[in-house]
Amino acid sequence: MIKKLLLLLILIPGFSMAQISFTSGNSALVNASLYSGVAIGVTDMNGDGLDDIIRLDNASSLEIEYQNTNGNFTRFNYGSTGGSKWGLAIADVDRNGFNDLLTGGSYNGLKLYTANSNGTDYNSTTLTFNIFVQNLNFADIDNNGTIDIFACHDVGLSKAFSNDGNGIMTENNGLINAVSTIPSDNSGNYGSIWIDYDNDDDLDLYISKCRLGVSNPNDGRRVNLLFENDGNNNFSEVGPARGLVPLAQSWSAAFEDIDNDGDLDCVLINHDITSMIFENDGTGNYTNITAASGIATSLDNLNDGGIQVIMEDFDNDTFIDIFVTTRNGIHKLYKNDGDKTFTELPNPFPLPFGANRIQSAAVGDLNNDGFVDVMAGFASGYNGPSSSRPDRLYFNTGNSTNNWSEILLEGTTSNINGIGARIEIYGAWGKQIREVRSGESYGIMNSLKTHFGLGTANAITKIVVKWPSGNVDELLNPTINQSLNIREGSTLSTINPDSISKLRMFPNPATNFVTIETANRNSDVSYTMYDISGKVLRANQALPLNKQISLQSLTSGIYMLALQIDGETVMRKIIKK
């Protein structure tokens, strides 16, 4: 009753509340007549800290509009990618300071576009033609400090590619063998997302499965998969045990903390049954709370058309909201009420067209004001660019009394984008968490800059960054209402960050030994080794002349090295295979 009353009040002229609303920003674009397919991206491409817009005109021709400090954009047209593309992911695979792109479509080439040394052009490499890409992710699957690739394959087993450290990718399904638990041809892989669902500081993988025309809900081609990482990069499928297999035609999923209790909850888009909200109990077990969410009927009315699900705090009130796009219905924006219930907001996006459907979208801060904006497309079906409704940029005009913080990471030991890192912020609201991801939902790329709403709180007590390497940085009493850059190790140790970035440890994972290379080959290096419990196994050992540390006497597992380099200390995580 209260929700209905509030909804009626919102519709009364002159009444206002902390609602989420948007206004058209197309006048800031250079190309306001571009027609995207499903794949859209928003993230910083040129290293200036400002989110840029990455689109594929007619689902094929790559254009980037770079955000300028004056609020407008500068456009570069990089030309055809060779056919209609369904997936997009972005990361700096070769650590040259400029982000690279990954695209793929229906057997027309999984292509990696690497930026040149000044970020002004791209060189393309076709990794394989033997794949029908639905979704793409960059993730450090083996946690060795380099960014790998995971590509959802619509009609067969999904593919993984390992990075040699210089951006050269090699197909390697030994990274993860994402096979169906029910024997099948392993097709039906649609949405994929890498997350730490069980709070054990390693990456797990969830795949939304859908196979059109398959009516048996127990068919392996449409049974969702949750691969749990044991910390040694061994993956086991645990979806049924964790409660995340609804036996539906599932399209995409998002994982965020809807109740600020420190774990990742899930919103799952289904096409043959009601889309669902799942609550994490803190140990990685999930319960379907859709019926009590306040939006069960609305989710049911997506009419088999949900495409993207995006979760962000659009009004900066400290609670994650839900945005759903559709192929044949009406897009939905649900405001988080703060008690695990949501309210559907009426018409938050001004639409200039006859139809009121946003088909695909990506999000980030596109005018650098601390509010999450939306780059929206109006394609038809699953990936059919519109011929009459060009994309539209929506600037968020939300509650300006609410404060915010945005955080961009730079990994040193970890991958340079900090993909896979967990960020925690503490303050009057308690605790909020975010993860850094590349490639989300179904074919889209949201900003690598994590966004937090602070509500009316005027301070953050501390920010904690848990890096994939095992390093932990803490920043006390940071300034609010600004974008912060946090470099790995900047609060962890006294070693020069430039020295950290030039320190190499390889291979990792390793079987017999790891090699340590420092910026200065004449550096004095010693190490102390710990097991995962913190027990000292080797204390103050000099690095051998061959720079190799033997692992032969160790059992498989995770170990930590405290490296003393010219009197300064840095931590490294080793995985022994």
Side-chain angles (χ1 to χ4, degrees):
M1 178 62 70
I2 293 176
K3 283 189 177 182
K4 291 181 179 179
L5 178 60
L6 288 174
L7 190 57
L8 289 172
L9 288 172
I10 290 170
L11 298 174
I12 297 175
F15 179 85
S16 66
M17 63 178 292
Q19 184 176 237
I20 305 166
S21 60
F22 296 84
T23 187
S24 174
N26 268 30
S27 61
L29 296 174
V30 178
N31 187 359
S33 300
L34 190 149
Y35 302 87
S36 288
V38 69
I40 301 176
V42 171
T43 205
D44 177 15
M45 295 300 297
N46 57 356
D48 64 357
L50 301 176
D51 280 334
D52 306 310
I53 300 170
I54 305 93
R55 293 183 288 170
L56 298 166
D57 193 15
N58 200 33
S60 176
S61 183
L62 174 63
E63 293 193 14
I64 300 176
E65 294 208 21
Y66 296 93
Q67 183 183 167
N68 301 317
T69 55
N70 63 4
N72 290 315
F73 291 82
T74 301
R75 171 194 177 208
F76 286 85
N77 186 343
Y78 294 100
S80 175
T81 61
S84 178
K85 302 304 180 185
W86 296 67
L88 174 69
I90 294 169
D92 183 357
V93 301
D94 53 4
R95 302 184 76 107
N96 74 341
F98 297 98
N99 279 327
D100 312 301
L101 302 98
L102 183 68
T103 67
S106 177
Y107 295 107
N108 55 26
L110 175 61
K111 290 187 176 182
L112 177 64
Y113 291 81
T114 53
N116 63 11
S117 59
N118 57 16
T120 59
D121 204 355
Y122 294 87
N123 298 310
S124 68
T125 302
T126 301
L127 302 177
T128 181
F129 284 102
N130 187 28
I131 188 171
F132 186 163
V133 168
Q134 293 289 356
N135 192 50
L136 294 170
N137 309 105
F138 279 122
D140 187 357
I141 300 173
D142 53 4
N143 198 21
N144 67 348
T146 62
I147 298 169
D148 308 306
I149 291 171
F150 184 80
C152 276
H153 190 9
D154 186 11
V155 295
L157 183 66
S158 294
K159 296 179 181 291
F161 295 78
S162 58
N163 186 343
D164 72 347
N166 297 305
I168 306 300
M169 299 288 182
T170 304
E171 186 171 344
N172 178 12
N173 281 337
L175 288 175
I176 182 169
N177 189 24
V179 296
S180 301
T181 50
I182 300 172
S184 73
D185 63 4
N186 293 300
S187 64
N189 305 290
Y190 274 58
S192 53
I193 183 168
W194 289 85
I195 37 93
D196 180 10
Y197 86 94
D198 52 359
N199 283 359
D200 64 350
D201 300 324
D202 55 43
L203 279 181
D204 313 297
L205 170 66
Y206 188 72
I207 301 177
S208 304
K209 301 274 283 188
C210 179
R211 197 64 176 152
L212 299 179
V214 176
S215 58
N216 179 4
N218 292 299
D219 190 302
R221 293 171 292 178
R222 49 170 287 179
V223 176
N224 294 1
L225 300 169
L226 174 60
F227 290 96
E228 181 180 303
N229 190 338
D230 70 353
N232 296 315
N233 302 320
N234 301 308
F235 293 89
S236 303
E237 206 288 308
V238 297
R242 294 301 195 175
L244 278 180
V245 180
L247 301 179
Q249 297 276 25
S250 298
W251 204 264
S252 60
F255 285 76
E256 297 290 350
D257 186 0
I258 64 171
D259 49 3
N260 288 344
D261 64 349
D263 53 48
L264 295 176
D265 309 299
C266 175
V267 177
L268 179 64
I269 299 301
N270 300 316
H271 276 200
D272 58 340
I273 64 175
T274 301
S275 294
M276 299 172 174
I277 301 175
F278 293 91
E279 181 184 8
N280 190 331
D281 70 353
T283 66
N285 295 309
Y286 286 84
T287 301
N288 184 352
I289 62 169
T290 311
S293 68
I295 55 172
T297 300
S298 181
L299 290 171
D300 190 48
N301 289 337
L302 292 177
N303 297 325
D304 91 342
I307 296 288
Q308 311 292 3
V309 53
I310 298 169
M311 299 174 71
E312 288 283 356
D313 184 359
F314 287 104
D315 56 357
N316 287 352
D317 69 347
T318 76
F319 291 104
I320 287 280
D321 309 300
I322 303 170
F323 175 37
V324 179
T325 72
T326 67
R327 70 180 181 91
N328 61 2
I330 301 173
H331 57 261
K332 308 282 187 178
L333 183 56
Y334 303 110
K335 175 177 168 55
N336 190 330
D337 300 322
D339 58 358
K340 294 185 283 192
T341 69
F342 296 83
T343 298
E344 181 179 347
L345 298 182
N347 305 318
F349 299 96
L351 293 165
F353 315 119
N356 55 352
R357 181 199 69 246
I358 294 175
Q359 187 261 7
S360 189
V363 301
D365 187 351
L366 289 166
N367 57 359
N368 201 33
D369 68 347
F371 284 82
V372 176
D373 308 305
V374 175
M375 188 68 238
F378 299 86
S380 60
Y382 301 116
N383 192 31
S386 171
S387 60
S388 60
R389 300 170 185 155
D391 298 353
R392 199 159 188 87
L393 170 59
Y394 289 105
F395 286 136
N396 188 336
T397 56
N399 184 359
S400 60
T401 63
N402 284 343
N403 296 312
W404 54 274
S405 180
E406 292 176 342
I407 299 168
L408 188 64
L409 299 185
E410 181 184 350
T412 53
T413 306
S414 305
N415 66 83
I416 192 169
N417 298 107
I419 294 167
R422 170 75 63 92
I423 303 175
E424 304 171 350
I425 70 166
Y426 296 82
W429 55 85
K431 175 182 179 180
Q432 294 185 57
I433 64 171
R434 301 286 190 273
E435 291 183 339
V436 182
R437 304 181 185 127
S438 176
E440 293 186 78
S441 198
Y442 177 67
I444 62 171
M445 176 71 202
N446 295 318
S447 178
L448 288 166
K449 184 186 296 184
T450 57
H451 174 267
F452 294 88
L454 310 182
T456 57
N458 57 15
I460 299 173
T461 304
K462 68 176 177 178
I463 297 172
V464 178
V465 182
K466 298 180 177 179
W467 298 89
S469 65
N471 290 336
V472 178
D473 278 296
E474 289 192 7
L475 184 62
L476 301 179
N477 302 310
T479 303
I480 66 170
N481 294 333
Q482 70 176 28
S483 181
L484 303 172
N485 286 22
I486 300 178
R487 194 175 196 192
E488 184 176 9
S490 60
T491 71
L492 173 69
S493 67
T494 59
I495 193 169
N496 186 323
D498 289 331
S499 297
I500 294 176
S501 64
K502 295 173 183 176
L503 173 67
R504 295 187 65 215
M505 184 178 74
F506 61 92
N508 192 17
T511 301
N512 296 317
F513 60 85
V514 293
T515 299
I516 304 296
E517 289 185 354
T518 57
N520 181 356
R521 67 177 60 189
N522 296 318
S523 288
D524 181 20
V525 182
S526 62
Y527 70 93
T528 298
M529 180 181 290
Y530 306 84
D531 67 13
I532 195 64
S533 70
K535 178 182 177 182
V536 175
L537 302 180
R538 303 174 196 167
N540 299 319
Q541 300 290 303
L543 186 69
L545 292 177
N546 64 5
K547 310 297 186 184
Q548 294 180 351
I549 298 176
S550 174
L551 307 179
Q552 291 179 322
S553 64
L554 304 177
T555 58
S556 297
I558 298 175
Y559 299 87
M560 297 299 296
L561 279 182
L563 290 161
Q564 292 283 334
I565 304 173
D566 296 331
E568 299 177 320
T569 303
V570 64
M571 299 295 293
R572 290 291 184 269
K573 179 164 72 174
I574 299 175
I575 299 173
K576 166 67 187 292
K577 293 193 289 187

